[in-house]
Amino acid sequence: MTSDLSSKHCEACEGIGAALNAEQIKNLMPQLNKNWEVSADNRIIKRSLSFNNFYETMAFVNALAWIANIENHHPDLEVGYNYCHVSFMTHALNGLSHNDFICAAKMDKLLAD
């Protein structure tokens, strides 16, 4: 699951064209951790994570927030004591863009380190 996506940077969401189509998404998915899922309508990629405690959960959330801020591309998060559900979607396109896959790959790398 080696990915060069994690070395890329996000583009501004305005003016980047149309959302990715199903074939483009299918070709990008193998570059992410196998636990990522695509929504049935191909508009969102999501992954659920479990942690040992609140501290580990929040450490992950803060690290992901730092990445999202640098890339200026932000996930939707659902956070609890020992879990975090992460969803990426390019709201400007109402679907997925390369930015979503870049940030997902950076998140995968964060978890692997």
Side-chain angles (χ1 to χ4, degrees), residues 12-99:
C13 292
E14 291 72 27
I16 61 173
L20 298 173
N21 64 40
E23 184 177 340
Q24 291 170 309
I25 293 166
K26 183 180 174 186
N27 290 335
L28 287 166
M29 285 301 289
Q31 296 181 57
L32 300 179
N33 179 285
K34 64 179 175 57
N35 293 316
W36 284 98
E37 299 175 6
V38 182
S39 62
D41 59 6
N42 285 318
R43 291 178 49 232
I44 299 169
I45 53 174
K46 54 191 171 184
R47 183 173 173 193
S48 294
L49 301 152
S50 297
F51 299 94
N52 291 319
N53 54 51
F54 184 72
Y55 178 81
E56 287 181 12
T57 304
M58 294 312 297
F60 165 76
V61 168
N62 286 327
L64 182 58
W66 185 80
I67 291 168
N69 192 53
I70 296 252
E71 294 299 330
N72 197 27
H73 194 73
H74 308 93
D76 290 324
L77 304 174
E78 182 183 331
V79 180
Y81 173 79
N82 63 349
Y83 69 89
C84 182
H85 304 302
V86 181
S87 298
F88 280 104
M89 176 182 128
T90 301
H91 296 277
L93 300 177
N94 196 28
L96 290 166
S97 72
H98 280 96
N99 290 351

